[in-house]
Amino acid sequence: MASRFEILLQDLGSRFTQDDIPKIKDALLALRRVMEIPVSYLNPSSGYHPVVIFKKRFGRVQKEVPVSILDLRILNRYNMPGWRREVEFWLDNDVVIQENLYGMEALLIGDPRGLNRLSDVIRRLAQYMTVRPSRLVLFYNTIYMDYGGGRYIQLLLRGNDLDVRLIRMKLSEAANYLGKAIEYMDSAFGNKNIDFYKLLFAHASETYSSFDWFFHRYLYPKLNPEQREFLEEMQDYRNFLRLLYDHINRLNKDRIGDEVGIRVIRRANPKRPLEIGIAFTNRGIEVRRYANTVQISFMV
């Protein structure tokens, strides 16, 4: 007796063409793998039913058939779930690719042009990563990196925008796994979200050279005149920077909020301390005159 999946493939073959069956099969199997990722757009735990709409052009006519990825059945206006998340798969354009990238089991779903561009991004990330994921899924413009135990790093790529999300993973872990790939993402994408900048800060605090780069790229240019004057009055500016790094390096990265507050007290003038608030936002890193909460305080 034919299985539900086999019956579905035959039904779809009659609605499109028999030659489309292998591609439909690959697409459904791939989309079910995406559906099984706990944090994916198609995961039914969100309360939405995952639906794929297969589409194909026949001359001037466009045909489309909605299919339940969860139940493996063709949908119509009578059995269409009210709460659903849909994805379109064009049989005459979109592809499913399974390959091994730098030792990672990779599943790529999308249109060839987009996959080519994002595959280049993935290869660059893999080159710079300290620890690569065991499995990786590229689902159109979203990358899911599976580190086992339900731990994921999710990257949403939209043009020049990058949105990072960590799932069941500590900030320090993600910074360690991605390593220099964080600096690559910083240079490759213009607009990043708040979680990326926290990740960047955690990475920068790992080594003095990374912190020196971070300080002069993100902090020093944004200091106000009073803060800059304070630093320029230091007899040994580099020694101060090393001291600041030592304190930031000891900070618990996994408890970082939306701001890191720093207070520096000079022995020569203790009543006039320097305060710096390093704030992480979806618009970038801001440097504030006063810190809402001081986590680091030391005397020079």
Side-chain angles (χ1 to χ4, degrees), residues 28 30 32 38 66 76 83-84 87 92 106 112 152 180 200 211 245 259 276 286:
L28 283 171
R32 283 181 69 85
N76 53 49
W83 295 87
R84 62 186 181 273
V87 58
D92 40 13
Y152 290 85
K180 289 287 185 180
L200 180 65
F211 177 72
Y245 162 72
E259 182 185 88
I276 299 176
E286 297 178 359

Side-chain angles (χ1 to χ4, degrees), residues 81-295:
W83 295 87
R84 62 186 181 273
R85 282 184 172 163
E86 298 178 347
V87 58
E88 295 180 354
F89 190 94
W90 287 88
L91 294 173
D92 40 13
N93 183 55
D94 292 349
V95 295
V96 173
I97 300 171
Q98 297 189 59
E99 60 182 350
N100 188 290
L101 287 175
Y102 292 90
M104 299 181 294
E105 178 189 326
L107 173 64
L108 315 177
I109 306 167
D111 69 276
R113 181 181 298 180
L115 291 186
N116 284 337
R117 184 180 72 85
L118 295 181
S119 292
D120 289 340
V121 172
I122 291 172
R123 288 184 176 89
R124 294 292 296 275
L125 288 173
Q127 288 173 1
Y128 292 117
M129 281 181 196
T130 305
V131 180
R132 298 185 184 115
S134 57
R135 294 193 302 170
L136 179 147
V137 173
L138 170 55
F139 177 53
Y140 291 93
N141 62 348
T142 305
I143 299 172
Y144 300 99
M145 292 185 278
D146 184 356
Y147 281 92
R151 298 176 305 147
Y152 290 85
I153 297 176
Q154 175 183 314
L155 306 178
L156 175 60
L157 312 167
R158 288 176 292 202
N160 198 37
D161 296 350
L162 169 66
D163 191 289
V164 176
R165 183 184 173 199
L166 306 180
I167 297 94
R168 297 182 66 181
M169 182 178 291
K170 295 179 179 179
L171 192 67
S172 58
E173 281 183 318
N176 180 52
Y177 291 164
L178 292 174
K180 289 287 185 180
I182 297 172
E183 295 181 26
Y184 161 70
M185 289 188 283
D186 183 51
S187 62
F189 296 93
N191 303 312
K192 281 88 69 175
N193 69 328
I194 186 171
D195 285 345
F196 172 82
Y197 289 109
K198 290 181 182 180
L199 196 60
L200 180 65
F201 178 81
H203 164 70
S205 67
E206 291 298 314
T207 65
Y208 176 72
S209 61
S210 294
F211 177 72
D212 183 81
W213 165 82
F214 175 83
F215 182 85
H216 288 97
R217 174 174 170 81
Y218 279 104
L219 304 185
Y220 190 81
K222 299 178 182 179
L223 295 176
N224 65 32
E226 184 180 354
Q227 292 169 326
R228 191 169 295 191
E229 180 185 358
F230 184 102
L231 294 182
E232 290 172 351
E233 289 176 356
M234 300 290 297
Q235 292 183 352
D236 191 341
Y237 169 71
R238 283 291 169 184
N239 188 51
F240 164 76
L241 205 57
R242 170 72 69 171
L243 188 61
L244 178 59
Y245 162 72
D246 288 341
H247 282 83
I248 287 179
N249 178 256
R250 292 195 294 268
L251 197 66
N252 186 343
K253 312 305 183 302
D254 299 323
R255 301 185 66 180
I256 290 176
D258 293 344
E259 182 185 88
V260 173
I262 301 168
R263 178 181 291 132
V264 184
I265 304 169
R266 285 192 297 188
R267 290 184 176 87
N269 190 1
K271 293 183 179 180
R272 184 173 165 257
L274 167 70
E275 278 198 14
I276 299 176
I278 304 172
F280 310 106
T281 75
N282 287 319
R283 300 177 303 278
I285 292 177
E286 297 178 359
V287 177
R288 296 171 179 169
R289 172 63 185 89
Y290 298 102
N292 292 321
T293 304
V294 174
Q295 290 104 329

Side-chain angles (χ1 to χ4, degrees), residues 12 16 24 27-28 52-55 63-65 67 89 91:
L12 289 171
F16 294 103
I24 292 172
L28 283 171
V52 56
I53 301 177
F54 287 110
K55 294 187 174 185
K63 191 163 190 176
E64 58 183 62
V65 179
V67 174
F89 190 94
L91 294 173

